[in-house]
Amino acid sequence: MSEERERKVRFHGRVQFKTIRHVADFTDDEIQEGWYRKKDFMRMSEEVGEIAQLVAQGKETHNGEELSIRGLEHLVEEDVADYRAEKMIASIDAVLDEQDEQRDEDIDDPDVIAQIYTEIVTPLLREAYLVGLRDAKEAQLAAESIPDLV
């Protein structure tokens, strides 16, 4: 029998909300202004690159903000990124090869294709699991830093 943990809900001490109009009530100009422009994407890309570089250098904060590798693994951990890319390319190649072979032999067996794909990408499951554990730990630490309201 598993031991049940006491669960409790906590709320941040400062709650804010803003009423947003329905999109049907927006003007055409307001809708257009809601989209990112190329310069916005370029700026965000530069910022992500800078953050990745700082994290790779071992920095934990920048301009008073805590830095996190979360979501930037592919930029910071080059060996991980290379491994993922290798598996992705290998899986695509294997699936396309099997589809060609099945087409040549007038066979339609999606289960074989799925099996081939699964064999190649299964090693990535452990990596995804470990990233999930790291994310859960960060989320737990963040949640614990929120003061209880009692």
Side-chain angles (χ1 to χ4, degrees):
M1 184 171 166
S2 66
E3 182 180 318
E4 288 194 31
R5 294 184 348 191
E6 179 182 334
R7 300 182 138 229
K8 56 184 172 179
V9 175
R10 295 181 286 187
F11 296 93
H12 194 276
R14 180 180 49 129
V15 178
Q16 296 178 326
F17 70 94
K18 183 176 181 178
T19 303
I20 306 294
R21 292 177 291 139
H22 189 276
V23 69
D25 298 327
F26 286 11
T27 67
D28 289 344
D29 286 342
E30 289 172 321
I31 292 171
Q32 187 63 34
E33 288 299 311
W35 291 96
Y36 287 120
R37 289 179 176 73
K38 187 173 183 172
K39 68 178 181 177
D40 298 323
F41 279 109
M42 297 299 289
R43 180 183 44 79
M44 287 186 282
S45 179
E46 288 173 13
E47 289 174 2
V48 165
E50 290 171 13
I51 292 169
Q53 189 173 27
L54 290 170
V55 170
Q57 294 170 358
K59 304 264 197 264
E60 295 183 5
T61 60
H62 179 66
N63 294 337
E65 291 188 27
E66 186 176 336
L67 298 175
S68 171
I69 192 174
R70 189 170 179 206
L72 302 177
E73 297 92 346
H74 66 287
L75 298 174
V76 177
E77 301 170 348
E78 288 184 39
D79 54 334
V80 171
D82 291 346
Y83 180 70
R84 285 181 187 168
E86 176 187 312
K87 288 293 183 187
M88 180 186 69
I89 291 167
S91 66
I92 291 169
D93 286 344
V95 166
L96 292 174
D97 289 347
E98 179 60 24
Q99 287 175 332
D100 285 343
E101 192 172 314
Q102 287 187 17
R103 199 174 299 113
D104 291 345
E105 296 176 13
D106 200 26
I107 299 171
D108 183 19
D109 193 345
D111 291 335
V112 170
I113 294 171
Q115 180 64 32
I116 289 170
Y117 176 80
T118 301
E119 288 173 9
I120 294 171
V121 299
T122 294
L124 297 176
L125 292 174
R126 177 172 163 65
E127 178 193 339
Y129 177 75
L130 293 173
V131 169
L133 288 177
R134 186 172 63 210
D135 287 352
K137 183 178 178 181
E138 285 189 34
Q140 182 65 36
L141 290 172
E144 289 171 359
S145 71
I146 298 172
D148 288 334
L149 290 179
V150 178

